[in-house]
């Protein structure tokens, strides 16, 4: 059975402080110059999307590229603050350890407790030309998504729900191996439902990523790789999570001038 939420708040102040400071699977190092086979050239990024440096709480849409030397320098400074350690075992990991999926009652995150579940909140946040189920201002049944990971535009319909999936930028399994296994349940629920850690993306790209860190997987669209690294770092800083040394090195490489 799925466990029910137990709200715990002792860690919240530290998480908020960490966010304020962010103004703004181990493996072979990813090749920054070679996107995965079949990825093609980057498509234009939607004007709807916002750079992660301008979106530190994750409430604004998309993942626009980090542009300009000054912004990239800020990105590298953020990445350099990350602690590193080895990735631990996956023993005991279960999705239910992070609360039931897309709960609206996670404590201490934007968009929570608004009567709409987390999945629909982020679909509304990032989608364009959004259509809702009749009689609802919550349940999204159709939209256009400019997918940041592949640089493609997806005309999504609920009948083919798996074409768009919600990615945990810092995968829950990754967080478990980096220390969230020792967190209070309420903090794990926050990570699983925090819009800062959630992006609607092409389903196949999300499946290919699985629980990889940046050293093992990067978005096929090279133009957003620095932005992806920044978002990964923002989540890690907010939740005081370490990353592997290979992941931090890969992230820094994406934001070189």
């Amino acid at each position: 059975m799925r466990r029910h939420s137990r709200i715990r708040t002792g860690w919240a102040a530290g998480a908020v402080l960490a966010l304020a400071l962010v103004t703004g699977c181990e493996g072979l190092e990813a090749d920054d110059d070679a996107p995965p086979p079949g990825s093609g050239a980057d498509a234009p990024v939607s004007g709807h999307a916002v750079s992660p440096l301008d979106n530190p709480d994750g409430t604004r849409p998309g993942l626009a590229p980090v542009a300009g030397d000054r912004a990239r320098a800020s990105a590298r400074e953020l990445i350099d603050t990350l602690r590193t350690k080895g990735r631990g075992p996956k023993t005991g990991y279960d999705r239910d350890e992070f609360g039931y999926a897309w709960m609206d009652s996670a404590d201490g995150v934007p968009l929570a407790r608004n009567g709409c579940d987390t999945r629909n909140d982020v679909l509304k946040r990032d989608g364009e030309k959004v259509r809702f189920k009749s009689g609802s201002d919550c349940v999204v049944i159709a939209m256009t998504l400019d997918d940041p990971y592949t640089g493609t535009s997806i005309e999504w319909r609920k009948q083919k729900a798996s074409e768009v999936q919600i990615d945990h930028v810092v995968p829950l399994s990754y967080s478990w191996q980096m220390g969230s296994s020792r967190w209070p349940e309420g903090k794990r629920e926050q990570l699983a439902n925090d819009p800062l850690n959630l992006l609607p993306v092409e389903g196949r790209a999300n499946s290919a990523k699985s629980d990889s860190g940046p050293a093992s997987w990067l978005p096929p669209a090279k133009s957003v790789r620095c932005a992806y690294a920044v978002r990964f770092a923002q989540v890690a800083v907010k939740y005081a999570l370490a990353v592997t040394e290979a992941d931090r090195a890969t992230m820094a490489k994406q934001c070189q001038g």
Side-chain angles (χ1 to χ4, degrees), residues 119 156-158 160-165 201-204:
R119 174 182 169 82
W156 179 80
R157 300 294 180 268
K158 194 174 179 67
K160 296 184 177 180
S162 64
E163 289 184 354
V164 168
Q165 298 175 12
V201 299
E202 183 200 68
R204 288 173 298 179

Side-chain angles (χ1 to χ4, degrees), residues 3 49 86 125 157 183 202:
R3 60 180 63 187
R125 181 196 66 187
R157 300 294 180 268
W183 292 355
E202 183 200 68

Side-chain angles (χ1 to χ4, degrees), residues 79-154:
I79 293 165
D80 286 346
T81 68
L82 297 176
R83 295 183 299 109
T84 63
K85 70 173 188 177
R87 192 162 173 170
K90 197 174 177 178
T91 306
Y93 169 75
D94 190 281
R95 175 63 178 83
D96 287 353
E97 295 290 339
F98 294 78
Y100 64 86
W102 313 130
M103 61 194 303
D104 185 39
S105 57
D107 194 42
V109 294
L111 309 182
R113 304 180 186 276
N114 64 356
C116 191
D117 65 82
T118 306
R119 174 182 169 82
N120 281 295
D121 278 334
V122 296
L123 290 177
K124 289 193 295 182
R125 181 196 66 187
D126 287 18
E128 299 181 87
K129 301 177 183 177
V130 174
R131 290 173 49 203
F132 297 100
K133 180 180 178 181
S134 179
S136 172
D137 60 0
C138 170
V139 180
V140 179
I141 61 170
M143 67 176 189
T144 300
L145 177 72
D146 289 307
D147 172 35
Y149 286 179
T150 64
T152 60
S153 182
I154 302 172

Side-chain angles (χ1 to χ4, degrees), residues 196-214:
L196 184 66
N197 195 32
L198 299 172
L199 286 172
V201 299
E202 183 200 68
R204 288 173 298 179
N206 187 49
S207 296
K209 173 184 172 178
S210 186
D211 65 350
S212 298

Side-chain angles (χ1 to χ4, degrees), residues 41-100:
D42 289 0
V45 176
S46 167
H48 185 64
V50 178
S51 165
L53 292 172
D54 297 325
N55 187 23
D57 64 358
T59 57
R60 298 173 69 188
L63 193 69
V66 174
D69 292 342
R70 181 176 297 181
R72 286 179 171 266
S74 296
R76 292 192 300 272
E77 289 174 6
L78 171 62
I79 293 165
D80 286 346
T81 68
L82 297 176
R83 295 183 299 109
T84 63
K85 70 173 188 177
R87 192 162 173 170
K90 197 174 177 178
T91 306
Y93 169 75
D94 190 281
R95 175 63 178 83
D96 287 353
E97 295 290 339
F98 294 78
Y100 64 86

